[in-house]
Amino acid sequence: DRETLAKLVRLALPLGLVTMLISFNSNIPRYFIEGHLGAYYLGIFAAIASFQKVAPTVVQALGRSASPRLAKYHAAVNVKSFRKLSMRMVGLGILLGVGGVMVAVVAGRLILTTFYGPEYAKPELFGLMMVATGLDYIATMLLFVLTSARLFKVQLPLQVLTTGTVALACFWLIPSYGLTGAALALILGNFVRAGSAFIVAVHAQHALGKHSEASKSLTSAYKL
């Protein structure tokens, strides 16, 4: 059915573009590092950034397993359950993020030295990278909430804003602060993504609550 397929493409296209921008977003600092600092520092940054890929698999699995239930709650206008599960998902993102930062603070030097050698032992940079990663976990969970609420189109401008923030921050910070500036740029970008997604998620829950109240009023009026 071409008409149905066309509708699916239009529906999913914003999410496809969002996924592309998220992938591009993590690589923006690398382009600036290579251009301003050279391949040596790019190698150090890439090695430390590789630890960011450990927990996202868990975050994605948790989000995808919870999304169908969350979507059912939204479709059934079950505000209480939708809000409760949303908060639980975001809480898990916060917990994983805080755990990553704690590991970086307590054992960052040991981990980097063990895996890569003493020249890669930059625990301060590792800690900042894990802060950026923690914010990314929170933003990822919030995007699952928005997707379950069928808020597809709004995610594209949010991600464009995030990508622009990271690019501008890299442009200003990396020449002056080096690898620390790259980590700060990711923190700023992920903070913007998580913050804007949180605002939209809160608005979606308020809208769902109003819809629930309106439905109850109509039901009461019908019974009368």
Side-chain angles (χ1 to χ4, degrees), residues 15-46:
L15 296 181
L17 295 174
V18 166
T19 303
M20 180 189 71
L21 287 174
I22 290 174
S23 177
F24 177 61
N25 188 66
S26 62
N27 289 315
I28 292 174
R30 305 184 186 212
Y31 303 140
F32 282 91
I33 290 170
E34 186 175 14
H36 288 280
L37 305 176
Y40 173 78
Y41 288 99
L42 176 60
I44 292 176
F45 181 84

Side-chain angles (χ1 to χ4, degrees), residues 134-145 190-191 193-195 197:
L135 289 170
D136 179 65
Y137 297 160
I138 297 169
T140 299
M141 287 301 192
L142 286 166
L143 290 181
F144 275 118
V145 173
N190 287 332
F191 178 79
R193 187 157 72 106

Side-chain angles (χ1 to χ4, degrees), residues 185-203:
L186 287 176
I187 289 174
L188 286 172
N190 287 332
F191 178 79
V192 168
R193 187 157 72 106
S196 56
F198 176 76
I199 292 171
V200 176
V202 169
H203 177 74

Side-chain angles (χ1 to χ4, degrees), residues 39 57 61 91 105-106 124 173 190 217 220:
T57 304
V105 170
V106 174
E124 296 84 5
L173 295 175
N190 287 332
S217 299
S220 300

Side-chain angles (χ1 to χ4, degrees), residues 1-15:
D1 188 337
R2 292 183 180 180
E3 185 177 351
T4 301
L5 288 174
K7 289 180 180 179
L8 286 173
V9 170
R10 288 195 298 270
L11 189 66
L13 183 60
L15 296 181

Side-chain angles (χ1 to χ4, degrees), residues 22-30 33 42-60 93 96-97 99-101 103-104 111-112 115-116 124-138 140 166 179-191 193:
I22 290 174
S23 177
F24 177 61
N25 188 66
S26 62
N27 289 315
I28 292 174
R30 305 184 186 212
I33 290 170
L42 176 60
I44 292 176
F45 181 84
I48 296 175
S50 65
F51 288 99
Q52 293 180 305
K53 301 184 182 298
V54 176
T57 304
V58 178
V59 174
Q60 291 287 338
L96 289 170
V101 173
V103 169
I111 292 172
L112 294 173
F115 279 91
Y116 297 115
E124 296 84 5
L125 177 63
F126 190 22
L128 289 174
M129 293 291 287
M130 294 312 296
V131 171
T133 304
L135 289 170
D136 179 65
Y137 297 160
I138 297 169
T140 299
V166 173
L179 297 183
T180 300
L184 291 174
L186 287 176
I187 289 174
L188 286 172
N190 287 332
F191 178 79
R193 187 157 72 106

